[in-house]
Amino acid sequence: MGVSDMNSSNADVVLDAEEPNLSVNYELLQSIYRIPSIEKAWLLPSKRGHSFEAMVLLNEVNLSANSKRRYLSFINIKKEPVKDSSFSWSAFPVELSGVSLIVPSTSGEKLLVIKNGDSSGKNGSATKLEIWNSAQLMKEILVPASIHGSIYTDGWFEGVSWSHDESYVAYVAEESTTGKPMFGKTNISCSPQASDNDPYSWKGQGDWHEDWGESYVGKRKPCLYVADLKNDSVQKVAGIPNDLSVGQVIWAPCDSQPLLIFVGWLSASENFKTERKLGIKYCFNRPCAIYAIQAFQEERMFDLLNGPWKLTSSISSAFLPRISPDGKFLLFLSSQEAVNTGVHNGTNSLQIMEWHGLETLKSISEVKEVVSAVQPKGGFPGIYMQSMIASPWLSDNQTILLSSAWHSSQVILAVNIERGTAIKVTPDDDAASWSILSLQDDYILAAVSSFGKPHSLKLGVPRSSLTQMSWDWFDVGNPYLQFPDKVGLDFFLCILMAYITVIGYYIEQLCSFSSLQVDSLLSSMSYEIMKITVPTEEGLEQHYESIFVTKGKESMREKGPLVVVVHGGPHSVYTTSFSKAYAFLVGLGLNLLLVNYRGSLGFGEETLQSLPGKVGNQDVADVLRALDLAIEKGLANTDKVAVLGGSHGGFLSAHLIGQAPDRFVTAAIINPVCNMSSMVGTSDIPDWCYVETYGPSCFNMYTDAPPPQVLERFFQASPISHISKVKVPTLFLLGAQDRRVPISNGLQYVHALRARGLKVKLIIFPEDAHPIDRPQSEFECWLNVGTWLKHYLQI
């Protein structure tokens, strides 16, 4: 629960439960938060050759439990669909309780269900590996904390892979616990099993173990393990150096020996020349390589006994490895440009090398670039992605499918590895955002959404063409997004009463949706992507975009209240995908202007690299230029403009109310960077301060003990250097566990504003980190943001 640091005399907008408008705001946000999200989906081979079975993992917020409820649903899909009649959803979903991860086998005949225990290893908690077939639980393996801790499910180190014969599963988990010193009357014990029940003894702290920063607090080193499903045993893969963290493991095809391919990150940062672990969450500038190792120590070749074999020595960034179905190629992504320049995210290149099994380890294989990070202007901007489906290959063994940002939308790309070409396979006339979920026999299962349309499923059916790859798209839908009318709802409730003990919460969900007419709100939302061109000092042009979001097309011609929304990063991007928070703000009567200033992903590497060294100047000017365009188009009332942002978006929001104090009437700021001169000594990514302040010279300037002149440069580039000009009321929302931008950064700025007598409201979330994303905290965060903006924009 949020904790307010301000009293009502200093911040006159408080959440009053008796306020009628607040009640409406609360009910609207609660209804929107109940909209389910598609988390993952798989197309599985069907025993009936004319159809597929699809397995869809959904989640929805369970506010009372401060968690997310996850459930599975199943669809039978005909290979030759004829509109909606070709898709048969299961009658009811199945809730997954206590499940951390599910991974179907390649054949689709087995399902691995992972249930992590207590990661601390207390009370003998064990990790459970369950193997299911279509009818029953086949076996269960309990892995005690003495072997390993929780299996990684973070989406980055995370890697779970079935062997080709489905007899083994390789995965990444926290290394086993080490004993802390136990001090007693007469002795000291360091055994992990040492009891702390003795009233005359106590447990010490032991040595400090460095973690990977934000979102990895308390997580132990990721290590590689193999589960033998024939013998119900688990063993750690030996021979991996202690200073190497592993992730993203897959099995490689190998005739003679079981071989694993994985990604490894050294503890010390090679490009910034520091021995510390720099934060890795959202940071693609951390050097990494792809390695191979034989899975079982007793079967290893003599010359490989000393450790894993590094496959990508010629480059310093390689991740998300994938082997082609014919076993001839190893494909992977690289963020070499990010490693070389220091930016935390950038344009990816696509790399490939030939694969010859164990012979690959005996000689250096050439790494070839398929798609470069730097692309010609005016067309395909490059690859921007953070994940890849397990099997992205089409049946030709030459083409892969990827989800990637393309300007302000996300699209699905088909990349031919022989020609090095990348083309859109999603409709050109659709500005919505698409992501590929699964691929089977060249059929695509994708998720699509936009500002007024929550995620739904599409099936891509391949066309027969000798000249070009193309797909026909069919709407699979999402039955959990249907908003029934009163008559239909009453009939539905009568049927469900017999099952009320199992699915009673769905009744509440549907009733709430109907009463608040969320469907009407969403269907009325519209958006416009506006392109902005900026001349450069060299006489060239650079482009970026903003997205205007409103309720109803007629509103586009009205000068309504406008919230300028700026993203973090700075090297990230706003796409047209659905957002519950933004749907809520639009539902309150606010228009939004989401700005993808230069430096954002999706607009080419050259435009992205134009920002480092110029933060607080170029990005501020780009946002104001986007605001000017919206005003010129008659989309904003100049007397009713606010700004909203988090992280680097909070940095920009604070800059804007300082540098352009007459352009905004208020601001809402989430975990902002306010003073880099203090952040550099406390953040898990101090290198960020150097990269964005100094640009290309960041590597020469970097030190863990910056001198006074460097601290002065950081201060001048920060919003706090303009704080004397701020004059608008401001809302701050801070996570007390933030390792990326520690809470002290925002608190200093808040105290400085209060000292000048300005209206400030502060809410601190004690258990949240950089993203305020625990369900109850996120809900309270956006309820306060909406209430605050609505008040000061006088809606």
Side-chain angles (χ1 to χ4, degrees), residues 110 282 387 713:
K110 298 176 183 178
Y282 313 121
S387 62
R713 179 79 176 268

Side-chain angles (χ1 to χ4, degrees), residues 58-217:
L58 302 103
N59 68 63
E60 66 176 64
V61 173
N62 183 356
L63 284 172
S64 60
N66 201 19
S67 64
K68 287 187 177 181
R69 179 181 284 116
R70 304 166 80 213
Y71 47 94
L72 275 177
S73 194
F74 302 87
I75 321 170
N76 181 264
I77 299 176
K78 294 180 181 179
K79 284 192 174 181
E80 297 181 2
V82 182
K83 297 192 179 293
D84 298 339
S85 61
S86 304
F87 310 106
S88 301
W89 285 75
S90 54
F92 305 109
V94 178
E95 185 173 0
L96 300 179
S97 179
V99 174
S100 303
L101 203 63
I102 59 173
V103 184
S105 65
T106 305
S107 68
E109 296 180 358
K110 298 176 183 178
L111 180 68
L112 169 66
V113 177
I114 295 172
K115 298 180 178 179
N116 278 325
D118 180 0
S119 61
S120 68
K122 293 180 180 178
N123 305 318
S125 180
T127 297
K128 295 181 181 180
L129 307 178
E130 296 178 353
I131 308 297
W132 292 78
N133 62 19
S134 60
Q136 63 183 15
L137 177 66
M138 298 171 64
K139 63 176 57 191
E140 179 183 66
I141 302 175
L142 301 180
V143 188
S146 59
I147 295 179
H148 65 64
S150 294
I151 293 176
Y152 271 84
T153 60
D154 63 326
W156 188 237
F157 290 120
E158 176 185 327
V160 179
S161 180
W162 287 83
S163 64
H164 301 285
D165 64 357
E166 301 186 358
S167 297
Y168 302 95
V169 173
Y171 57 86
V172 179
E174 295 183 58
E175 65 181 345
S176 58
T177 57
T178 55
K180 291 186 176 182
M182 183 69 73
F183 299 93
K185 275 188 173 182
T186 58
N187 68 330
I188 299 176
S189 172
C190 290
S191 170
Q193 287 78 35
S195 172
D196 54 4
N197 295 326
D198 183 353
Y200 299 102
S201 66
W202 72 95
K203 185 173 287 187
Q205 296 304 312
D207 292 345
W208 172 67
H209 294 280
E210 192 172 20
D211 56 39
W212 282 105
E214 174 71 26
S215 85
Y216 294 101
V217 175

Side-chain angles (χ1 to χ4, degrees), residues 404-463:
S404 178
W406 188 312
H407 299 167
S408 298
S409 296
Q410 182 165 282
V411 303
I412 299 176
L413 298 175
V415 180
N416 184 280
I417 63 172
E418 184 176 356
R419 297 191 297 268
T421 56
I423 61 171
K424 287 183 190 178
V425 304
T426 42
D428 287 331
D429 59 350
D430 190 348
S433 286
W434 294 64
S435 59
I436 183 169
L437 300 174
S438 187
L439 182 64
Q440 187 73 237
D441 298 339
D442 295 349
Y443 286 74
I444 303 171
L445 189 61
V448 60
S449 75
S450 62
F451 289 105
K453 295 181 180 179
H455 290 87
S456 62
L457 294 175
K458 294 277 189 178
L459 180 71
V461 178
R463 296 174 185 165

Side-chain angles (χ1 to χ4, degrees), residues 635-776:
L635 302 177
N637 183 337
T638 56
D639 295 328
K640 291 187 175 184
V641 179
V643 63
L644 163 66
S647 192
H648 186 83
F651 170 90
L652 278 176
S653 298
H655 260 301
L656 286 161
I657 60 175
Q659 294 191 42
D662 297 320
R663 302 294 302 272
F664 304 94
V665 298
T666 189
I669 301 177
I670 305 169
N671 282 335
V673 176
C674 295
N675 184 355
M676 286 190 283
S677 64
S678 62
M679 173 184 163
V680 71
T682 56
S683 172
D684 68 327
I685 54 167
D687 54 305
W688 183 91
C689 301
Y690 289 90
V691 172
E692 301 303 340
T693 302
Y694 284 96
S697 62
C698 61
F699 296 113
N700 294 330
M701 300 300 301
Y702 183 84
T703 171
D704 289 314
Q709 63 271 23
V710 172
L711 295 176
E712 172 64 20
R713 179 79 176 268
F714 288 153
F715 183 88
Q716 293 301 329
S718 300
I720 200 166
S721 66
H722 299 279
I723 198 167
S724 62
K725 294 175 283 185
V726 177
K727 53 187 179 183
V728 299
T730 309
L731 169 67
F732 284 85
L733 305 113
L734 307 178
Q737 305 304 316
D738 193 343
R739 289 276 298 275
R740 184 83 3 132
V741 186
I743 188 173
S744 57
N745 219 253
L747 285 176
Q748 181 190 26
Y749 195 86
V750 166
H751 292 318
L753 289 177
R754 293 178 66 196
R756 296 184 54 238
L758 294 176
K759 291 181 179 179
V760 181
K761 180 180 176 67
L762 169 64
I763 299 176
I764 295 175
F765 298 92
E767 303 301 322
D768 284 84
H770 194 54
I772 299 177
D773 57 2
R774 298 168 76 247
Q776 291 176 357

Side-chain angles (χ1 to χ4, degrees), residues 256-310:
S256 55
Q257 304 288 344
L259 201 61
L260 297 171
I261 294 174
F262 65 92
V263 180
W265 294 262
L266 290 170
S267 298
S269 175
E270 295 170 299
N271 50 351
F272 284 97
K273 308 301 181 188
T274 178
E275 293 301 312
R276 65 174 289 181
K277 281 183 179 176
L278 296 172
I280 204 168
K281 186 72 171 180
Y282 313 121
C283 296
F284 293 82
N285 59 344
R286 307 297 176 228
C288 55
I290 293 177
Y291 298 81
I293 194 168
Q294 288 175 263
F296 306 110
Q297 186 173 16
E298 62 274 10
E299 299 177 357
R300 289 184 182 170
M301 298 166 53
F302 177 78
D303 57 345
L304 296 178
L305 283 177
N306 292 328
W309 193 263
K310 189 175 183 178

Side-chain angles (χ1 to χ4, degrees), residues 238-403:
I240 297 176
N242 288 331
D243 65 343
L244 194 66
S245 293
V246 306
Q248 304 176 14
V249 63
I250 61 172
W251 290 88
C254 188
D255 295 333
S256 55
Q257 304 288 344
L259 201 61
L260 297 171
I261 294 174
F262 65 92
V263 180
W265 294 262
L266 290 170
S267 298
S269 175
E270 295 170 299
N271 50 351
F272 284 97
K273 308 301 181 188
T274 178
E275 293 301 312
R276 65 174 289 181
K277 281 183 179 176
L278 296 172
I280 204 168
K281 186 72 171 180
Y282 313 121
C283 296
F284 293 82
N285 59 344
R286 307 297 176 228
C288 55
I290 293 177
Y291 298 81
I293 194 168
Q294 288 175 263
F296 306 110
Q297 186 173 16
E298 62 274 10
E299 299 177 357
R300 289 184 182 170
M301 298 166 53
F302 177 78
D303 57 345
L304 296 178
L305 283 177
N306 292 328
W309 193 263
K310 189 175 183 178
L311 300 175
T312 55
S313 298
S314 61
I315 57 177
S316 53
S317 174
F319 56 95
L320 294 179
R322 297 292 186 269
I323 293 282
S324 60
D326 60 10
K328 294 182 179 179
F329 300 104
L330 171 61
L331 180 96
F332 56 91
L333 287 178
S334 174
S335 284
Q336 189 66 51
E337 293 295 321
V339 171
N340 290 346
T341 63
V343 296
H344 286 73
N345 203 350
T347 315
N348 303 134
S349 62
L350 190 65
Q351 309 281 338
I352 201 167
M353 59 188 296
E354 293 183 2
W355 183 256
H356 304 289
L358 285 175
E359 295 299 317
T360 309
L361 311 186
K362 297 179 181 179
S363 60
I364 298 177
S365 296
E366 181 184 2
V367 174
K368 298 179 181 179
E369 186 174 70
V370 176
V371 178
S372 172
V374 180
Q375 294 291 323
K377 291 184 178 180
F380 167 61
I383 296 174
Y384 303 89
M385 56 183 296
Q386 301 180 9
S387 62
M388 189 186 305
I389 61 173
S391 181
W393 298 85
L394 293 179
S395 56
D396 63 359
N397 285 294
Q398 293 290 321
T399 308
I400 63 166
L401 299 184
L402 309 171
S403 304

